[in-house]
Amino acid sequence: METMVAFSVLLLLTLHLFPLYTHIRIERDNQVAINTADRLLHEEILNYKYDGNEGSPSTVIHNQRTYNLSWESSGRELKGCIKWEDKLNRAMERCDYILK
């Protein structure tokens, strides 16, 4: 009887912890995607700053994820945005500005 109770408690804990572990793993992958997007956008802004090459829309594939870079010019500012989908298929976007 004690073995059955111990097994039931273990099963109950496992059933509660497995979804939590899965959620943590997905969010860790999403954070890696955010860091990658920030790095790609930063590199493109540095290319503009030091080389003077105004960015054109482009697509970058990194770790089986597609990142879309776009640029928008308004007055004295250049706005660079990067878009991608995370593991939960949510549309994500990061933008940054640089003076022309």
mmCIF file of all heavy atoms in Angstrom, residues 39-49 53 55-56 58 60 69 71:
data_model
loop_
_atom_site.group_PDB
_atom_site.id
_atom_site.type_symbol
_atom_site.label_atom_id
_atom_site.label_comp_id
_atom_site.label_asym_id
_atom_site.label_seq_id
_atom_site.Cartn_x
_atom_site.Cartn_y
_atom_site.Cartn_z
ATOM 1 N N ARG A 39 20.910 40.889 -32.277
ATOM 2 C CA ARG A 39 22.274 40.885 -32.819
ATOM 3 C C ARG A 39 22.262 41.193 -34.313
ATOM 4 O O ARG A 39 23.071 41.998 -34.799
ATOM 5 C CB ARG A 39 22.947 39.532 -32.569
ATOM 6 C CG ARG A 39 24.379 39.473 -33.053
ATOM 7 C CD ARG A 39 25.011 38.120 -32.777
ATOM 8 N NE ARG A 39 24.223 36.981 -33.192
ATOM 9 C CZ ARG A 39 24.155 36.523 -34.449
ATOM 10 N NH1 ARG A 39 24.808 37.119 -35.412
ATOM 11 N NH2 ARG A 39 23.418 35.467 -34.735
ATOM 12 N N LEU A 40 21.334 40.568 -35.062
ATOM 13 C CA LEU A 40 21.253 40.816 -36.505
ATOM 14 C C LEU A 40 20.913 42.274 -36.806
ATOM 15 O O LEU A 40 21.512 42.894 -37.694
ATOM 16 C CB LEU A 40 20.217 39.892 -37.139
ATOM 17 C CG LEU A 40 20.561 38.410 -37.192
ATOM 18 C CD1 LEU A 40 19.352 37.599 -37.638
ATOM 19 C CD2 LEU A 40 21.728 38.168 -38.120
ATOM 20 N N LEU A 41 19.962 42.829 -36.067
ATOM 21 C CA LEU A 41 19.579 44.225 -36.280
ATOM 22 C C LEU A 41 20.734 45.157 -35.930
ATOM 23 O O LEU A 41 21.023 46.104 -36.668
ATOM 24 C CB LEU A 41 18.341 44.567 -35.455
ATOM 25 C CG LEU A 41 17.771 45.968 -35.616
ATOM 26 C CD1 LEU A 41 17.380 46.223 -37.065
ATOM 27 C CD2 LEU A 41 16.578 46.148 -34.701
ATOM 28 N N HIS A 42 21.420 44.870 -34.849
ATOM 29 C CA HIS A 42 22.566 45.684 -34.437
ATOM 30 C C HIS A 42 23.668 45.642 -35.496
ATOM 31 O O HIS A 42 24.267 46.669 -35.822
ATOM 32 C CB HIS A 42 23.096 45.188 -33.094
ATOM 33 C CG HIS A 42 24.240 45.979 -32.566
ATOM 34 N ND1 HIS A 42 24.098 47.261 -32.083
ATOM 35 C CD2 HIS A 42 25.554 45.678 -32.467
ATOM 36 C CE1 HIS A 42 25.272 47.702 -31.698
ATOM 37 N NE2 HIS A 42 26.180 46.770 -31.918
ATOM 38 N N GLU A 43 23.935 44.466 -36.061
ATOM 39 C CA GLU A 43 24.958 44.348 -37.103
ATOM 40 C C GLU A 43 24.577 45.159 -38.334
ATOM 41 O O GLU A 43 25.429 45.821 -38.936
ATOM 42 C CB GLU A 43 25.154 42.886 -37.495
ATOM 43 C CG GLU A 43 25.894 42.070 -36.460
ATOM 44 C CD GLU A 43 25.950 40.598 -36.814
ATOM 45 O OE1 GLU A 43 25.411 40.191 -37.872
ATOM 46 O OE2 GLU A 43 26.535 39.845 -36.015
ATOM 47 N N GLU A 44 23.320 45.138 -38.718
ATOM 48 C CA GLU A 44 22.877 45.917 -39.873
ATOM 49 C C GLU A 44 22.993 47.413 -39.615
ATOM 50 O O GLU A 44 23.375 48.175 -40.501
ATOM 51 C CB GLU A 44 21.440 45.548 -40.252
ATOM 52 C CG GLU A 44 21.307 44.192 -40.893
ATOM 53 C CD GLU A 44 22.020 44.106 -42.225
ATOM 54 O OE1 GLU A 44 21.970 45.069 -43.012
ATOM 55 O OE2 GLU A 44 22.639 43.049 -42.478
ATOM 56 N N ILE A 45 22.668 47.847 -38.413
ATOM 57 C CA ILE A 45 22.794 49.266 -38.076
ATOM 58 C C ILE A 45 24.259 49.684 -38.085
ATOM 59 O O ILE A 45 24.611 50.764 -38.571
ATOM 60 C CB ILE A 45 22.118 49.567 -36.731
ATOM 61 C CG1 ILE A 45 20.605 49.497 -36.930
ATOM 62 C CG2 ILE A 45 22.532 50.917 -36.177
ATOM 63 C CD1 ILE A 45 19.795 49.652 -35.679
ATOM 64 N N LEU A 46 25.136 48.832 -37.574
ATOM 65 C CA LEU A 46 26.573 49.136 -37.612
ATOM 66 C C LEU A 46 27.088 49.191 -39.048
ATOM 67 O O LEU A 46 27.946 50.019 -39.373
ATOM 68 C CB LEU A 46 27.367 48.118 -36.803
ATOM 69 C CG LEU A 46 27.235 48.234 -35.286
ATOM 70 C CD1 LEU A 46 28.034 47.131 -34.603
ATOM 71 C CD2 LEU A 46 27.656 49.588 -34.796
ATOM 72 N N ASN A 47 26.586 48.309 -39.919
ATOM 73 C CA ASN A 47 26.971 48.365 -41.331
ATOM 74 C C ASN A 47 26.595 49.710 -41.937
ATOM 75 O O ASN A 47 27.355 50.288 -42.702
ATOM 76 C CB ASN A 47 26.310 47.237 -42.122
ATOM 77 C CG ASN A 47 26.979 45.907 -41.911
ATOM 78 O OD1 ASN A 47 28.112 45.835 -41.460
ATOM 79 N ND2 ASN A 47 26.258 44.848 -42.214
ATOM 80 N N TYR A 48 25.408 50.200 -41.591
ATOM 81 C CA TYR A 48 24.998 51.501 -42.105
ATOM 82 C C TYR A 48 25.887 52.606 -41.533
ATOM 83 O O TYR A 48 26.344 53.492 -42.243
ATOM 84 C CB TYR A 48 23.535 51.777 -41.766
ATOM 85 C CG TYR A 48 23.126 53.185 -42.098
ATOM 86 C CD1 TYR A 48 22.897 53.552 -43.421
ATOM 87 C CD2 TYR A 48 23.010 54.158 -41.113
ATOM 88 C CE1 TYR A 48 22.548 54.851 -43.744
ATOM 89 C CE2 TYR A 48 22.656 55.452 -41.430
ATOM 90 C CZ TYR A 48 22.428 55.793 -42.746
ATOM 91 O OH TYR A 48 22.080 57.076 -43.065
ATOM 92 N N LYS A 49 26.145 52.529 -40.241
ATOM 93 C CA LYS A 49 26.912 53.573 -39.571
ATOM 94 C C LYS A 49 28.334 53.681 -40.103
ATOM 95 O O LYS A 49 28.833 54.773 -40.358
ATOM 96 C CB LYS A 49 26.934 53.304 -38.073
ATOM 97 C CG LYS A 49 27.666 54.353 -37.278
ATOM 98 C CD LYS A 49 27.598 54.050 -35.786
ATOM 99 C CE LYS A 49 28.351 55.094 -34.998
ATOM 100 N NZ LYS A 49 28.302 54.816 -33.566
ATOM 101 N N ASN A 53 26.173 52.086 -46.099
ATOM 102 C CA ASN A 53 25.242 51.331 -46.950
ATOM 103 C C ASN A 53 23.858 51.371 -46.320
ATOM 104 O O ASN A 53 23.635 50.791 -45.267
ATOM 105 C CB ASN A 53 25.689 49.878 -47.094
ATOM 106 C CG ASN A 53 27.050 49.757 -47.728
ATOM 107 O OD1 ASN A 53 27.462 50.620 -48.482
ATOM 108 N ND2 ASN A 53 27.745 48.695 -47.405
ATOM 109 N N GLY A 55 20.410 50.227 -45.617
ATOM 110 C CA GLY A 55 19.872 48.871 -45.647
ATOM 111 C C GLY A 55 18.710 48.732 -46.598
ATOM 112 O O GLY A 55 17.920 49.641 -46.798
ATOM 113 N N SER A 56 18.631 47.596 -47.199
ATOM 114 C CA SER A 56 17.489 47.258 -48.029
ATOM 115 C C SER A 56 16.793 46.068 -47.386
ATOM 116 O O SER A 56 17.406 45.319 -46.628
ATOM 117 C CB SER A 56 17.947 46.916 -49.449
ATOM 118 O OG SER A 56 18.835 45.816 -49.412
ATOM 119 N N SER A 58 15.644 42.600 -46.399
ATOM 120 C CA SER A 58 16.308 41.328 -46.637
ATOM 121 C C SER A 58 15.744 40.267 -45.701
ATOM 122 O O SER A 58 15.052 40.566 -44.739
ATOM 123 C CB SER A 58 17.823 41.464 -46.438
ATOM 124 O OG SER A 58 18.101 41.832 -45.107
ATOM 125 N N VAL A 60 16.941 36.776 -43.534
ATOM 126 C CA VAL A 60 18.059 36.014 -42.992
ATOM 127 C C VAL A 60 17.492 34.760 -42.339
ATOM 128 O O VAL A 60 16.528 34.836 -41.572
ATOM 129 C CB VAL A 60 18.842 36.832 -41.938
ATOM 130 C CG1 VAL A 60 19.947 36.007 -41.330
ATOM 131 C CG2 VAL A 60 19.371 38.105 -42.543
ATOM 132 N N LEU A 69 14.263 41.625 -42.321
ATOM 133 C CA LEU A 69 14.753 42.963 -42.011
ATOM 134 C C LEU A 69 14.092 43.969 -42.945
ATOM 135 O O LEU A 69 14.025 43.745 -44.154
ATOM 136 C CB LEU A 69 16.262 43.039 -42.195
ATOM 137 C CG LEU A 69 17.093 42.313 -41.151
ATOM 138 C CD1 LEU A 69 18.459 41.985 -41.707
ATOM 139 C CD2 LEU A 69 17.212 43.159 -39.917
ATOM 140 N N TRP A 71 13.533 48.452 -43.606
ATOM 141 C CA TRP A 71 14.037 49.788 -43.288
ATOM 142 C C TRP A 71 13.004 50.821 -43.697
ATOM 143 O O TRP A 71 12.352 50.684 -44.719
ATOM 144 C CB TRP A 71 15.346 50.046 -44.022
ATOM 145 C CG TRP A 71 16.411 49.100 -43.602
ATOM 146 C CD1 TRP A 71 16.735 47.920 -44.195
ATOM 147 C CD2 TRP A 71 17.259 49.221 -42.470
ATOM 148 N NE1 TRP A 71 17.748 47.302 -43.510
ATOM 149 C CE2 TRP A 71 18.092 48.088 -42.438
ATOM 150 C CE3 TRP A 71 17.410 50.163 -41.477
ATOM 151 C CZ2 TRP A 71 19.050 47.882 -41.450
ATOM 152 C CZ3 TRP A 71 18.366 49.972 -40.497
ATOM 153 C CH2 TRP A 71 19.176 48.843 -40.492
#
